[in-house]
Amino acid sequence: MLQILYTLYFWLVMVPLFCLTTILTASTVIVGCMLGGRRFFSYYPGMLWSRLTCCLALCPVRVRGREALDRKQSYVFVANHQSAFDIFMIYGFLGVPVKWMLRRGIAKIPFVGAACRSAGFIFVDHSSPQAARRSIAEAKSSLQNGVSLTIFPEGSRSRDGRMGHFHKGAFLVALSQRLPVVPITINGAFKVLPKGRLTVRPHRMEMVIHAPVRIDENVQDEKNGLQAFADGVREIIGADLR
């Protein structure tokens, strides 16, 4: 009975409100960035939108480890990717302004894609090795102004809630900019909205922010050393994965 009531609430209340707030938020970001306020408008409207989305979905979020972050320091945040709600959790509750490295398909979403472009987010192009390298180069340039970057090293959402292989791109960016990497463990988001399902299921979510780790500057061999570091970060994330 509760699931039936929630399904009615989802389609009749949450979806219309989510669409409305998405359009309003995207429009605010686009206009604000056009007027020269990219540093403010690329983060705060999206942060409030993300928190509101989790509230509308009746999915409480618990955060652990935020005290490990220094707001004056730039980071490369890397997290496991369980569902679309991972973005709402990190954007809404991390507490640090970030830019995103997102899959190219998001650029095609009405309003959202234009807002992401205005905010200076990076769309990853895996169509060729050259295109992938251009995406990484763009990510490096975005970090020159003292901002942080968030990347899902798996590249796509999990199909069963378990973590996949971590690609080296995020760690190459961190190495080139000499930035610490912050592993983030996402729990519960797969229960809320697994890949392929349209209806949200209310469930408690948790974000564990681990202590920053630095890549040894001697790690130059992308095939071995950098991948070993990526695998080590994956283990840190997996230690708190339920």
Side-chain angles (χ1 to χ4, degrees):
M1 184 64 181
L2 287 176
Q3 185 58 46
I4 294 174
L5 289 174
Y6 182 82
T7 301
L8 290 173
Y9 162 79
F10 175 78
W11 289 110
L12 298 179
V13 178
M14 181 186 168
V15 169
L17 285 177
F18 174 74
C19 292
L20 177 61
T21 56
T22 298
I23 293 171
L24 290 175
T25 301
S27 301
T28 301
V29 171
I30 293 167
V31 173
C33 291
M34 285 176 59
L35 295 176
R38 174 181 278 188
R39 191 170 184 85
F40 178 89
F41 286 97
S42 65
Y43 173 65
Y44 288 98
M47 181 266 287
L48 294 173
W49 168 70
S50 296
R51 290 192 176 193
L52 179 60
T53 299
C54 291
C55 245
L56 287 173
L58 307 182
C59 295
V61 177
R62 179 191 181 199
V63 181
R64 290 196 285 129
R66 195 187 285 133
E67 65 278 0
L69 301 179
D70 179 358
R71 290 185 63 88
K72 296 179 181 179
Q73 169 70 52
S74 293
Y75 300 103
V76 174
F77 294 98
V78 296
N80 59 308
H81 201 6
Q82 292 192 340
S83 86
F85 267 76
D86 301 343
I87 294 175
F88 300 135
M89 292 176 67
I90 296 173
Y91 210 173
F93 298 91
L94 184 61
V96 175
V98 294
K99 290 189 181 296
W100 290 84
M101 200 165 180
L102 303 166
R103 61 184 178 83
R104 188 172 55 171
I106 292 178
K108 300 177 182 178
I109 301 176
F111 291 98
V112 173
C116 289
R117 286 193 205 93
S118 298
F121 297 168
I122 302 101
F123 296 106
V124 183
D125 187 350
H126 290 300
S127 61
S128 68
Q130 293 80 7
R133 284 194 288 270
R134 282 197 299 270
S135 299
I136 292 175
E138 189 178 350
K140 292 176 184 177
S141 65
S142 73
L143 289 167
Q144 291 178 355
N145 296 322
V147 300
S148 294
L149 185 68
T150 303
I151 306 173
F152 296 113
E154 293 166 274
S156 62
R157 289 169 290 166
S158 171
R159 291 189 176 275
D160 56 8
R162 290 179 289 187
M163 274 196 299
H165 171 74
F166 273 22
H167 300 286
K168 299 188 294 288
F171 308 98
L172 183 59
V173 172
L175 176 63
S176 67
Q177 301 300 309
R178 294 182 173 82
L179 292 177
V181 173
V182 178
I184 295 176
T185 303
I186 300 293
N187 284 309
F190 184 77
K191 294 281 189 180
V192 174
L193 189 63
K195 190 173 184 177
R197 197 174 72 195
L198 295 177
T199 305
V200 168
R201 179 184 301 164
H203 192 278
R204 185 177 297 275
M205 299 186 293
E206 179 187 51
M207 179 168 63
V208 183
I209 304 168
H210 300 276
V213 291
R214 287 191 176 273
I215 302 177
D216 189 335
E217 292 184 6
N218 294 322
V219 174
Q220 297 294 337
D221 186 346
E222 295 181 32
K223 292 184 178 179
N224 298 310
L226 200 58
Q227 186 60 59
F229 182 85
D231 293 340
V233 170
R234 185 180 181 278
E235 288 182 10
I236 294 173
I237 294 173
D240 273 298
L241 185 62
R242 300 190 181 91

